[in-house]
Amino acid sequence: MTTWLGLDAGHGDPATADAVAVSLYETLLFHAHVVCVHAVEDHHALSFRLAEQPSENTLSTLVERGYGVAVHNGDLQRLTGPTGLTRGALRAALAHRDRREGRALRFPGQRTLRGRYGVSDIIAFSAIEEVLPHGIKSVDARGDLQPFFANGRLVLQAR
């Protein structure tokens, strides 16, 4: 069952939020399919799409580190951690679930995208569903692509 985990520690700087999200993915939440950063009010929160519920140990570790935590898997949701941060965590989890907002730092197919790729290959072999601007034929993918959720789709803005 898909679960969305939202985390909020009140990161004011997007670069810090990015670094923390990737660090959590590499250490504690390595089984996440998609990792996102979201603008929430005046700061940034994190979200992770997981194939299963995070363990109680994982949740305890996150709360001990000061995160507001939201776990959402369809209709069941759980909020834990500092009260002032759980709202941002839930907003991030729901934005990820609804695919309406969030910048994806890790997503399926990302590791294979190194070098120049045709738009059709990017769409065929990764979770990216649309490339902007429309009509572009190829993208120089240096492994640091950061598509974003908009209107239910994972969209890459080519530079």
Side-chain angles (χ1 to χ4, degrees), residues 120-149:
S120 60
D121 288 337
I122 289 172
I123 291 171
F125 299 112
S126 78
I128 295 170
E129 299 165 285
E130 183 177 359
V131 177
L132 298 175
H134 292 141
I136 191 170
K137 300 291 183 222
S138 65
V139 174
D140 189 6
R142 297 186 180 177
D144 189 32
L145 299 178
Q146 292 186 3
F148 57 93
F149 283 119

Side-chain angles (χ1 to χ4, degrees), residues 2-14:
T2 300
T3 298
W4 292 270
L5 174 66
L7 302 177
D8 192 352
H11 298 294
D13 175 40

Side-chain angles (χ1 to χ4, degrees), residues 3-156:
T3 298
W4 292 270
L5 174 66
L7 302 177
D8 192 352
H11 298 294
D13 175 40
T16 301
D18 289 3
V20 169
V22 170
S23 175
L24 284 169
Y25 170 73
E26 291 174 346
T27 58
L28 192 61
L29 300 167
F30 50 85
H31 53 284
H33 295 291
V34 180
V35 178
C36 288
V37 172
H38 306 265
V40 175
E41 295 163 6
D42 61 345
H43 63 280
H44 302 273
L46 321 174
S47 69
F48 301 81
R49 191 183 85 206
L50 309 168
E52 57 192 40
Q53 293 265 63
S55 71
E56 287 301 318
N57 285 344
T58 297
L59 294 177
S60 294
T61 298
L62 292 166
V63 171
E64 286 168 13
R65 292 181 185 179
Y67 289 98
V69 177
V71 180
H72 187 78
N73 65 357
D75 43 49
L76 176 67
Q77 82 187 22
R78 176 177 171 193
L79 303 176
T80 188
T83 308
L85 297 172
T86 55
R87 189 175 77 206
L90 182 59
R91 282 184 58 186
L94 294 177
H96 192 154
R97 179 201 69 185
D98 297 342
R99 301 167 57 96
R100 63 180 140 79
E101 186 274 323
R103 195 167 33 85
L105 303 179
R106 297 292 180 265
F107 56 91
Q110 178 181 30
R111 290 181 185 199
T112 62
L113 297 176
R114 304 249 187 256
R116 185 162 283 283
Y117 284 88
V119 168
S120 60
D121 288 337
I122 289 172
I123 291 171
F125 299 112
S126 78
I128 295 170
E129 299 165 285
E130 183 177 359
V131 177
L132 298 175
H134 292 141
I136 191 170
K137 300 291 183 222
S138 65
V139 174
D140 189 6
R142 297 186 180 177
D144 189 32
L145 299 178
Q146 292 186 3
F148 57 93
F149 283 119
N151 301 315
R153 298 170 63 84
L154 190 57
V155 179
L156 176 65

